[in-house]
Amino acid sequence: MKYIKDFKILKNITISDDTFVLELQLRQKLPIIFPGQFVEVLINKSKNTFLRRPFSIHDVNTSKNTISLFIKKVGEGTEALSKYKVGDIVNIIFPLGKGFNLVKNKKVLLIGGGCGIAPLLYLSKRLNENNNEIHVLLGGRSKEDIIKIKEFKKYGKVYISTENGSLCERGLLTQNSVLKNNFDKIYACGPAPMLKAVAKIAKEKNTECEVSLENIMACGIGACLCCVVETKKGNQCVCTEGPVFNINDLTWQI
Ligand SMILES: Cc1cc2nc3c(=O)[nH]c(=O)nc-3n(C[C@H](O)[C@H](O)[C@H](O)COP(=O)(O)OP(=O)(O)OC[C@H]3O[C@@H](n4cnc5c(N)ncnc54)[C@H](O)[C@@H]3O)c2cc1C
Ligand code: FES
């Protein structure tokens, strides 16, 4: 079931020059939200963003009826959203797409690159409830891209790669030494080249792996076909059949 609702901005927290977190409250009780699902936000404070913008659900607080979004400013829509003030109202369609499949009692690795970190916090929380041993690998260009380390540490062990070496291991996320270890399952979100590199490692190690794709979207509900990805079951809309896919279902050349 999808809903179109007005949320009130409770917090707009600046994380770095180009990233921020919005905490948004719904008046009513939130429906069940699965990690990896996303929202489509109407941005009415800018002239050219009549199409809603998709964002992963970063965190959910069922006692406060809030969801959080971790957003990187890349264009007019996200720039406009960064300027919303506490008390402003934002119209949102949610929860959209199919999320990650949650395992129980396993050793899991969560990998987030750039704003691909966004869906992993709520995923960690839910995997922790399922008694999994959680390892989280976060990667970015510099330390400013790495967020919520303390919160991730509540759920598991955290590993970090930065391309400029400003925090922990220097280099690409896929070069991090934690990837030498074995895991029962890998969950990943980030840019497509990173996801392909993760998928290659997972295939070599014969590890189950799910990735969350961030194809460009417009409608978010399977009507415009602009988000299609080729899969072994034919072309599928990332907004309705994903954004989470098992790597074995994708036709990637890796
Ligand atoms: C399922 C899903 C979940 C997402 N989750 C998050 C999230 O949690 N946090 C976050 O910051 N961003 C997320 N994104 C990306 C986000 O939707 C775009 O950055 C946003 O729509 C850009 O809007 P804009 O008006 O600021 O930029 P635009 O003016 O629309 O575009 C500016 C630049 O950003 C690029 N861009 C636009 N959309 C995307 C996209 N979907 N993926 C990659 N590049 C894009 C454009 O090609 C262009 O170069 C997600 C995208 C999808 C599909
Ligand atoms: S965004 Fe319109 S079909 Fe997926």
Side-chain angles (χ1 to χ4, degrees), residues 4-7 40-43 52 89-93:
I4 305 184
K5 297 280 183 195
D6 285 338
F7 282 70
E40 284 259 289
V41 178
L42 183 67
I43 305 169
R52 288 170 185 264
I89 300 297
V90 187
N91 186 269
I92 290 179
I93 307 180

Side-chain angles (χ1 to χ4, degrees), residues 18-50:
D18 61 356
T19 56
F20 59 100
V21 170
L22 291 180
E23 190 179 317
L24 301 143
Q25 187 175 47
L26 184 66
R27 266 216 195 148
Q28 305 93 320
K29 199 173 153 35
L30 284 171
I32 292 172
I33 293 173
F34 296 100
Q37 287 190 299
F38 67 99
V39 299
E40 284 259 289
V41 178
L42 183 67
I43 305 169
N44 51 17
K45 285 200 180 181
S46 77
K47 288 186 191 133
N48 304 311
T49 50
F50 54 93

Side-chain angles (χ1 to χ4, degrees), residues 18-20 36-40 43 46 48-49 51-58 68-81 96 114-119 189 191 212-218 227 238-239 242-244:
D18 61 356
T19 56
F20 59 100
Q37 287 190 299
F38 67 99
V39 299
E40 284 259 289
I43 305 169
S46 77
N48 304 311
T49 50
L51 290 174
R52 288 170 185 264
R53 297 294 195 261
F55 300 102
S56 303
I57 296 170
H58 177 49
S68 300
L69 309 177
F70 168 61
I71 300 175
K72 187 178 172 88
K73 290 187 246 174
V74 295
E76 193 171 327
T78 44
E79 183 66 44
L81 264 182
L96 294 170
C115 53
I117 290 174
C189 184
S212 178
L213 305 183
E214 292 195 348
N215 290 22
I216 295 219
M217 290 184 187
C227 64
V238 174
C239 64
V244 175

Side-chain angles (χ1 to χ4, degrees), residues 5 11 64 91 113 122 130-131 147 175 183 209 231 238:
K5 297 280 183 195
K11 289 182 190 161
K64 281 166 73 184
N91 186 269
Y122 184 45
N130 279 358
N131 206 29
I147 57 149
Q175 294 165 332
F183 297 91
C209 179
T231 75
V238 174

Side-chain angles (χ1 to χ4, degrees), residues 40 216-228 237-240:
E40 284 259 289
I216 295 219
M217 290 184 187
C219 72
I221 53 167
C224 69
L225 304 184
C226 79
C227 64
V228 160
C237 289
V238 174
C239 64
T240 50

Side-chain angles (χ1 to χ4, degrees), residues 177-191:
S177 50
V178 70
L179 285 161
K180 292 189 185 124
N181 301 336
N182 290 321
F183 297 91
D184 298 314
K185 179 149 185 173
I186 295 176
Y187 297 95
C189 184

